[in-house]
C-alpha cells in the first residue's frame, strides 16, 4: 500500500522522483523487483533476493541499482523512515548523482537521551499506537483491511510482517543507527525534512539533530500526524514535497 497521491510526485518538474519505501520494503526488495521506467513507461523487472542484501552498504548500492535500471539522470530522491535512512546513505555515496533530497521522518540517527522504541520487541497490535497519531487509522493501514477471523489471512499477515521486519532488522536492529551521522558531511544536496509533529517513534527532536548535521536543510512539520505521516496526512506531505521539488 502506498500513500494516496504518491503518483503525483512521479515525474514532478524536470526530474523524475524516486521513492524509497519505509517499513513496507517488500515493494522494492522482493524476490522480483518491478519499477516504472520513465523512458519507456513499461515495467522493468530484475531478480533481487532479500538474502543478498545484508548490510547498509548493500541497501544503498541496491538503491543505485534501481536508479540505473530506470535510466534516470540525477533524480530527486524521497525516502520515508528506513527508506529515508537508505536515501541519505545513497546521497552520501554519490551526492552529484541526485537532484534534491526529501526525507520523511528518517531513521539513521541515535540520541542517547531520546532512544527510539524497539519495534522488534512489540506485538503487532502495539505498532499502531507507536507509529500513528491516530491508532485507529494505523490499525486499518497496517492490516490493510484484512479479516483476522480468517485464519489464512492471519497467517499470511504474520508471515509477511515477520519477513519485512527480518529484512529491516539488518539495518534497524538492535538500534536503527549505522553511523550515518559521520558520513552526512558528504551529503551536500538541498534537503527537505518532513516530520509528523506527533511522531512517537522517531520524535521531532531528531529533526533538530538532522538540521544540525545538514545546516542547509529545511523542515516542514505536519500537524495531526505521527511517524506514518504520508498515510495520515498525505495531502500535507505531498504539498510540502511538491513545493520543495518544484523549486528546483
Amino acid at each position: 500500500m502506498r500513500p494516496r497521491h504518491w503518483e503525483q510526485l512521479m515525474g514532478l518538474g524536470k526530474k523524475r522522483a524516486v521513492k524509497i519505501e519505509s517499513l513496507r520494503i517488500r515493494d522494492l526488495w522482493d524476490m522480483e523487483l518491478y519499477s516504472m521506467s520513465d523512458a519507456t513507461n513499461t515495467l522493468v523487472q530484475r531478480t533481487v533476493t532479500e538474502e543478498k542484501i545484508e548490510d547498509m552498504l548493500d541497501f544503498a548500492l541496491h538503491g543505485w541499482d534501481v536508479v540505473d535500471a530506470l535510466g534516470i539522470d540525477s533524480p530527486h530522491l524521497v525516502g520515508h523512515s528506513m527508506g529515508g535512512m537508505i536515501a541519505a546513505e545513497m546521497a552520501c555515496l554519490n551526492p552529484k548523482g541526485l537532484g534534491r533530497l526529501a526525507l520523511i521522518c528518517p531513521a539513521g540517527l541515535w540520541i542517547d537521551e531520546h532512544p527510539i522504541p524497539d519495534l522488534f520487541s512489540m506485538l503487532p497490535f502495539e505498532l499502531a499506537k507507536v507509529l500513528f497519531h491516530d491508532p485507529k487509522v494505523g490499525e486499518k493501514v497496517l492490516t490493510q483491511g484484512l479479516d483476522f477471523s480468517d485464519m489464512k489471512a492471519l497467517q499470511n499477515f504474520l508471515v509477511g510482517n515477520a519477513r519485512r521486519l527480518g529484512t529491516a532488522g539488518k539495518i534497524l536492529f538492535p538500534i536503527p543507527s549505522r553511523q550515518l551521522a559521520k558520513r552526512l558531511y558528504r551529503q551536500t544536496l538541498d534537503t527537505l525534512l518532513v516530520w509528523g509533529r506527533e511522531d512517537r517513534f522517531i520524535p521531532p527532536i531528531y529533526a533538530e539533530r538532522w538540521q544540525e548535521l545538514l545546516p542547509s536543510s529545511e523542515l516542514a512539520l505536519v500537524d495531526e500526524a505521527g511517524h506514518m505521516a504520508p498515510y495520515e496526512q498525505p495531502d500535507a506531505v505531498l504539498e510540502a514535497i511538491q513545493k520543495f521539488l518544484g523549486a528546483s
Side-chain angles (χ1 to χ4, degrees):
M1 177 184 290
R2 290 183 174 83
R4 187 163 49 89
H5 303 330
W6 165 246
E7 288 76 9
Q8 293 184 34
L9 279 177
M10 308 307 286
L12 177 65
K14 296 180 180 179
K15 299 179 180 178
R16 184 176 173 80
V18 173
K19 180 171 183 284
I20 305 299
E21 285 281 3
S22 55
L23 294 178
R24 299 184 180 278
I25 55 175
R26 189 175 62 179
D27 290 343
L28 282 181
W29 286 283
D30 207 344
M31 298 294 290
E32 303 280 331
L33 172 65
Y34 296 93
S35 297
M36 187 64 72
S37 168
D38 184 49
T40 64
N41 201 38
T42 60
L43 290 176
V44 175
Q45 180 181 20
R46 297 183 60 193
T47 300
V48 179
T49 61
E50 293 176 4
E51 290 75 14
K52 291 182 179 179
I53 299 178
E54 298 178 344
D55 55 25
M56 189 68 253
L57 182 59
D58 286 347
F59 276 94
L61 290 177
H62 180 60
W64 279 113
D65 287 343
V66 173
V67 172
D68 291 343
L70 296 177
I72 307 171
D73 293 326
S74 300
H76 301 311
L77 200 57
V78 182
H80 173 225
S81 190
M82 172 180 161
M85 178 182 183
I86 296 169
E89 289 280 8
M90 290 174 63
C92 290
L93 284 174
N94 183 18
K96 294 182 180 180
L98 295 172
R100 288 188 163 198
L101 188 66
L103 305 177
I104 309 168
C105 309
L109 302 183
W110 184 263
I111 302 174
D112 288 337
E113 296 78 12
H114 301 277
I116 297 171
D118 180 11
L119 286 180
F120 301 93
S121 66
M122 295 181 188
L123 296 173
F125 70 86
E126 297 176 304
L127 295 174
K129 296 179 181 179
V130 175
L131 297 176
F132 290 80
H133 164 66
D134 184 344
K136 294 295 184 182
V137 173
E139 291 173 5
K140 293 180 180 179
V141 172
L142 293 177
T143 63
Q144 302 182 47
L146 294 176
D147 178 8
F148 285 161
S149 64
D150 180 342
M151 294 306 297
K152 183 64 175 178
L154 177 60
Q155 178 183 347
N156 290 338
F157 172 81
L158 292 175
V159 171
N161 191 58
R163 180 184 179 186
R164 286 188 289 271
L165 288 176
T167 303
K170 295 176 181 180
I171 58 174
L172 298 183
F173 184 84
I175 61 173
S177 173
R178 294 297 180 268
Q179 303 301 318
L180 171 61
K182 71 179 184 181
R183 294 184 287 278
L184 281 178
Y185 75 94
R186 290 181 47 83
Q187 203 294 89
T188 55
L189 302 172
D190 291 333
T191 303
L192 172 69
L193 300 167
V194 181
W195 227 280
R197 198 180 290 273
E198 285 78 37
D199 192 337
R200 290 185 285 271
F201 180 52
I202 305 179
I205 194 167
Y206 275 83
E208 298 177 15
R209 180 61 177 146
W210 277 93
Q211 288 194 291
E212 291 173 3
L213 295 169
L214 299 175
S216 62
S217 62
E218 54 186 272
L219 174 63
L221 290 172
V222 181
D223 293 327
E224 298 184 2
H227 187 68
M228 303 300 277
Y231 295 84
E232 293 191 281
Q233 300 296 338
D235 293 320
V237 172
L238 178 68
E239 181 180 358
I241 297 176
Q242 281 184 322
K243 180 179 179 182
F244 173 69
L245 298 185
S248 63

